[in-house]
């Protein structure tokens, strides 16, 4: 099945008809304009922007102000896509008012829904956001905002931790989430969770049986040739293409081949 105008019910419809969901991250107007012309179902303005766009070493550095700035740029570039915006580090752990101020800021910047990282301790706030009429996507497994507590980027839910992950997924579904990101989870565990809950799972490093897949745009476009996690498939060599274009531009400037008379005003 190709393009469809996604909304929150579209996620449930996809799950019901076993149609996989595609999601990519996007942080800026320029790439949002490109994604807007593609079949990709939805956009995640992820807090990974702290790393990809701002060069920090973790998502802990994302703030609500950064999220709002990037969301509004993405919304201007992709007016017709369903956008999910990340609630950044600690924004859901400082009380209801701070969380709801964050939700309001993201909604007014242009998201259609928010994503909240975390399990049991986020349930009350997730319920509250959902009851306020804002769709929430959960995010469990590897939770980059908790990277220090988790002790690094490790696969989650192995062995006897699988049951706990399933319970978390069920709690998130019961709290009203319309979907759940499963990050770096063994294939069998993601498959079991996807079978047992009635909302779609969107996997990253969670195998083929999740109900959808998400990748960071720059990763799938091959922007960083040194980043090669097991779960990543690259669909382009954007690093090579850009380096080559810039080197050709430089060479032609130095050789006085650019601009030509055709590219100059008389
Ligand atoms: O911030 C992000 O990019 C994410 C994806 C990895 C799911 O949360």
């Amino acid at each position: 099945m190709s393009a469809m105008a996604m909304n929150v019910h579209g996620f449930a419809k996809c799950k019901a008809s076993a149609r996989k969901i595609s999601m990519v991250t996007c942080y800026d107007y320029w790439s949002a304009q490109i994604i807007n012309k593609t079949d990709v179902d939805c956009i995640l303005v992820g807090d990974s922007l702290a790393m990809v766009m701002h060069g920090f070493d973790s998502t802990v550095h994302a703030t609500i102000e950064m999220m709002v700035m990037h969301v509004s740029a993405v919304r201007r570039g992709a007016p017709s896509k369903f956008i999910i915006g990340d609630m950044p580090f600690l924004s859901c752990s400082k009380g209801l008012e701070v969380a709801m101020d964050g939700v309001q800021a993201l909604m007014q910047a242009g998201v259609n829904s928010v994503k909240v990282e975390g399990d049991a301790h986020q349930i009350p706030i997730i319920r509250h956001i959902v009851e306020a009429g804002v769709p929430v996507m959960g995010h469990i497994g590897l939770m980059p905002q908790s990277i220090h507590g988790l002790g690094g980027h490790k696969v989650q839910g192995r062995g006897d931790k699988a049951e706990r992950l399933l319970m978390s997924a069920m709690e998130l579904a019961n709290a009203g989430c319309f979907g759940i990101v499963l990050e770096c989870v063994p294939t069998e565990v993601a498959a079991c969770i996807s079978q047992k809950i009635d909302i779609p799972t969107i996997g990253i490093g969670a195998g083929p049986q999740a109900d959808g897949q998400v990748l960071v745009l720059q990763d799938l476009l091959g922007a960083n040739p040194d980043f090669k996690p097991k779960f990543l498939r690259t669909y382009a060599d954007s690093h090579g293409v850009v380096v080559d274009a810039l080197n050709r531009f430089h060479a032609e400037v130095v050789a006085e081949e650019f601009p030509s008379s055709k590219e100059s005003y008389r």
Side-chain angles (χ1 to χ4, degrees):
M1 200 191 298
S2 65
M4 57 187 271
M6 189 57 111
N7 62 25
V8 73
H9 303 299
F11 285 83
K13 280 189 200 145
C14 283
K15 172 115 184 172
S17 59
R19 171 358 188 116
K20 302 277 182 183
I21 298 163
S22 63
M23 176 159 114
V24 291
T25 65
C26 179
Y27 319 116
D28 65 276
Y29 173 75
W30 180 77
S31 43
Q33 278 188 302
I34 297 173
I35 296 172
N36 201 48
K37 294 194 177 119
T38 70
D39 294 341
V40 165
D41 289 316
C42 55
I43 288 176
L44 171 66
V45 182
D47 59 356
S48 50
L49 61 80
M51 303 169 77
V52 181
M53 300 303 278
H54 295 265
F56 288 110
D57 62 357
S58 81
T59 61
V60 162
H61 299 275
T63 63
I64 198 73
E65 290 76 18
M66 284 159 80
M67 297 306 303
V68 163
M69 192 184 73
H70 288 279
V71 164
S72 52
V74 171
R75 175 50 82 205
R76 286 190 289 274
S80 52
K81 287 288 179 190
F82 187 90
I83 300 181
I84 300 137
D86 259 338
M87 292 293 288
F89 183 57
L90 294 188
S91 60
C92 285
S93 304
K94 292 182 181 169
L96 211 54
E97 202 172 322
V98 173
M100 294 314 287
D101 283 348
V103 171
Q104 181 177 4
L106 290 186
M107 292 298 290
Q108 289 176 347
V111 300
N112 302 97
S113 74
V114 298
K115 175 160 78 61
V116 175
E117 250 182 63
D119 39 35
H121 99 279
Q122 300 292 20
I123 296 296
I125 184 74
I126 289 175
R127 280 191 196 285
H128 192 82
I129 301 172
V130 172
E131 277 160 19
V134 176
V136 177
M137 180 169 272
H139 181 153
I140 52 174
L142 176 60
M143 294 175 285
Q145 293 175 13
S146 308
I147 204 68
H148 298 288
L150 295 174
H153 287 90
K154 296 178 188 153
V155 174
Q156 302 293 311
R158 282 196 162 131
D160 57 4
K161 306 259 170 50
E163 190 63 28
R164 176 70 226 133
L165 205 59
L166 173 61
M167 294 313 293
S168 298
M170 287 176 159
E171 282 165 11
L172 289 171
N174 288 336
C177 285
F178 71 95
I180 303 178
V181 167
L182 295 178
E183 180 164 355
C184 289
V185 170
T187 299
E188 302 72 22
V189 178
C192 170
I193 292 174
S194 305
Q195 269 169 23
K196 294 216 164 146
I197 62 173
D198 57 8
I199 56 171
T201 57
I202 312 289
I204 174 163
Q209 289 165 60
D211 301 304
Q213 298 293 329
V214 54
L215 283 176
V216 168
L217 179 68
Q218 284 77 358
D219 295 348
L220 83 86
L221 293 179
N224 180 358
D226 299 327
F227 185 62
K228 291 180 183 152
K230 184 177 166 68
F231 65 77
L232 178 63
R233 183 180 298 178
T234 52
Y235 289 84
D237 172 21
S238 66
H239 184 268
V241 168
V242 172
V243 166
D244 180 56
L246 291 174
N247 281 337
R248 282 194 294 121
F249 166 70
H250 170 79
E252 291 183 5
V253 168
V254 170
E256 297 180 30
E257 288 166 11
F258 176 81
S260 66
S261 57
K262 268 191 185 163
E263 289 151 339
S264 307
Y265 297 107
R266 292 193 141 211

